Amino acid sequence: AQTVTQSQPEMSVQEAETVTLSCTYDTSESDYYLFWYKQPPSRQMILVIRQEAYKQQNATENRFSVNFQKAAKSFSLKISDSQLGDAAMYFCAYQTNAGKSTFGDGTTLTVKP
Amino acid sequence: ETGVTQTPRHLVMGMTNKKSLKCEQHLGHNAMYWYKQSAKKPLELMFVYSLEERVENNSVPSRFSPECPNSSHLFLHLHTLQPEDSALYLCASSQGVTDPYEQYFGPGTRLTVT
């Protein structure tokens, strides 16, 4: 079975600074997908960024980028120029190509003004 | 209405009650999901429906019974629940189950079992 580990239950960052959230996973599959989702307090979970395992190039979405290390089974999220609106719980998720998703425990990110 | 909606937003029920959670997606998606989000556990996938057929049942107790009458609606029927079933139940939808389709989540139903 696949497992997803987020080793940082809580992180904090100063506004305008950069923070990296870690995620590791375990799988025997070679073809899969990885996601970071964001769940703001009392608001709906939304997608931040996605990565296909067959792509070597790291995904980037504006201030959000990933460091995908397939051999190490690592998928960290870097948030640059952090903003107050980035405060949320962030979930790393692994998805098989049959649509089965496994989520990590989440990392609560606090942004300090 | 846009996106994924869930009703009710909050539900308190006794262990002998029968209730249903409703999810509706207005995105034209073909896949729908039920998740359980507890305070001390990661998000747990419960059921996956693709084109109204159940394609994933993650060893969920039979006191939870899903129903997908069409691709826009998903229900979770609840009966004789336990206090440990208290959690936030999230519904999600996606364009399909294959390929890296992102999931769109609803706001959730906060369930308390007394």
Side-chain angles (χ1 to χ4, degrees), chain A residues 35-48:
Chain A
F35 302 81
W36 278 99
Y37 285 91
K38 167 186 177 181
Q39 188 177 35
S42 303
R43 293 181 62 187
Q44 289 169 242
M45 183 137 39
I46 57 173
L47 177 72
V48 175

Side-chain angles (χ1 to χ4, degrees), chain B residues 17-106:
Chain B
N17 291 159
K18 290 183 180 181
K19 296 287 184 182
S20 295
L21 309 185
K22 179 183 176 182
C23 175
E24 185 173 359
Q25 59 96 359
H26 311 268
L27 300 167
H29 287 166
N30 292 318
M32 296 187 78
Y33 310 75
W34 278 118
Y35 288 89
K36 176 183 179 183
Q37 187 176 24
S38 306
K40 301 294 184 183
K41 291 185 178 181
L43 208 62
E44 300 171 71
L45 178 65
M46 299 175 73
F47 303 104
V48 180
Y49 276 83
S50 176
L51 296 170
E52 301 141 50
E53 285 194 25
R54 193 188 309 179
V55 297
E56 186 73 35
N57 179 346
N58 236 14
S59 302
V60 179
S62 60
R63 57 185 183 270
F64 295 91
S65 175
E67 179 191 1
C68 188
N70 54 62
S71 59
S72 298
H73 294 85
L74 184 65
F75 295 89
L76 188 63
H77 304 299
L78 316 170
H79 66 96
T80 59
L81 295 191
Q82 305 298 311
E84 61 264 30
D85 297 323
S86 299
L88 181 68
Y89 288 84
L90 294 172
C91 173
S93 72
S94 66
Q95 193 171 338
V97 293
T98 58
D99 294 325
Y101 294 124
E102 70 178 275
Q103 293 180 39
Y104 291 77
F105 285 83

